[in-house]
Amino acid sequence: AQSVSQHNHHVILSEAASLELGCNYSYGGTVNLFWYVQYPGQHLQLLLKYFSGDPLVKGIKGFEAEFIKSKFSFNLRKPSVQWSDTAEYFCAVNNYGQNFVFGPGTRLSVLP
Amino acid sequence: DTGVSQDPRHKITKRGQNVTFRCDPISEHNRLYWYRQTLGQGPEFLTYFQNEAQLEKSRLLSDRFSAERPKGSFSTLEIQRTEQGDSAMYLCASSQGGDGYTFGSGTRLTVV
């Protein structure tokens, strides 16, 4: 069965700091990878996704993620965070149309 | 609004009562998913439909839970004889094929 782990439960950063959120998945086959964000009181929104091709994918709001197949990882990065990035971030795996498996989430708090 | 809509936004019910939630997906999306999210956790898959066919159900979906999508458009999720452990956010999402989901805002259920 697929599973997704996220390295940090809660990350606290100051504005302008760089961000990297870890995500590892367990599945032997080919998967699609996603990062979703949930701002306080709002619904889940897609940040970025990887299906194939260039393993460095760029998403909305300056976020990017790198797929490293050998490490089963899909880490999310942003060079300079803003207070408005305060949210919960979820990594998810999908096996070609089957249901998504989400990680437990990482809460990001950005201090102004 | 062309997003996924869920109704109601909040539901408080007494233990033992039945509740029903509705989800209206994006009209051109053929897949509809139900997830449950508890505090501090990522969404957990419950079930999904392709058009009107219910293709997969999670072990989380006990006999007290039933979902329908009678005409391949909106869907309902019913919980019978609610228990306190059913308290959670119930999320609906839709997609076209296996692409990234679009989530609704969810229905927060509180069983007292």
Side-chain angles (χ1 to χ4, degrees):
Chain A
Q2 298 173 52
S3 67
V4 178
S5 62
Q6 293 183 237
H7 303 172
N8 307 97
H9 179 64
H10 188 192
V11 173
I12 303 172
L13 295 173
S14 298
E15 274 195 315
S18 64
L19 170 71
E20 180 159 3
L21 301 183
C23 170
N24 286 88
Y25 66 95
S26 65
Y27 183 70
T30 303
V31 294
N32 299 329
L33 298 157
F34 303 80
W35 276 96
Y36 281 84
V37 60
Q38 190 168 30
Y39 298 103
Q42 296 190 25
H43 59 277
L44 286 157
Q45 299 173 42
L46 181 66
L47 265 183
L48 48 79
K49 59 189 177 186
Y50 172 79
F51 283 6
S52 64
D54 189 344
L56 185 63
V57 293
K58 295 192 183 298
I60 61 171
K61 304 187 181 186
F63 286 91
E64 64 178 32
E66 185 176 13
F67 170 53
I68 303 179
K69 188 175 182 179
S70 61
K71 295 185 178 180
F72 296 90
S73 70
F74 190 56
N75 292 355
L76 181 71
R77 299 196 292 249
K78 186 172 183 178
S80 176
V81 294
Q82 300 172 316
W83 177 78
S84 58
D85 293 324
T86 294
E88 187 116 22
Y89 292 81
F90 295 94
C91 182
V93 168
N94 167 266
N95 177 22
Y96 287 115
Q98 300 304 312
N99 72 80
F100 280 44
V101 176
F102 285 84
T106 297
R107 185 155 62 101
L108 173 65
S109 298
V110 180
L111 307 177
Chain B
D1 189 332
T2 56
V4 177
S5 61
Q6 292 188 244
D7 183 70
R9 291 292 301 273
H10 304 275
K11 177 72 176 178
I12 300 174
T13 190
K14 291 184 178 180
R15 190 173 50 186
Q17 297 294 304
N18 299 345
V19 294
T20 300
F21 310 140
R22 177 180 170 123
C23 171
D24 287 88
I26 294 174
S27 58
E28 59 266 29
H29 284 182
N30 61 350
R31 292 188 180 183
L32 186 149
Y33 303 79
W34 286 99
Y35 279 76
R36 181 173 68 187
Q37 186 178 19
T38 53
L39 200 61
Q41 299 295 320
E44 297 173 296
F45 171 75
L46 293 178
T47 188
Y48 95 92
F49 294 83
Q50 180 152 319
N51 301 313
E52 66 274 11
Q54 189 173 17
L55 295 188
E56 189 174 347
K57 293 197 293 185
S58 162
R59 291 171 297 173
L60 294 174
L61 212 66
S62 75
D63 291 344
R64 296 185 296 106
F65 288 71
S66 62
E68 294 182 344
R69 194 182 183 197
K71 297 181 181 179
S73 56
F74 73 92
S75 175
T76 57
L77 177 68
E78 181 183 17
I79 308 174
Q80 296 182 325
R81 304 181 303 281
T82 51
E83 302 173 356
Q84 286 189 320
D86 297 331
S87 296
M89 178 73 86
Y90 289 84
L91 299 170
C92 177
S94 68
S95 72
Q96 181 62 31
D99 208 340
Y101 290 171
T102 300
F103 278 90
S105 298
T107 293
R108 182 170 294 284
L109 173 66
T110 302
V111 182
V112 297

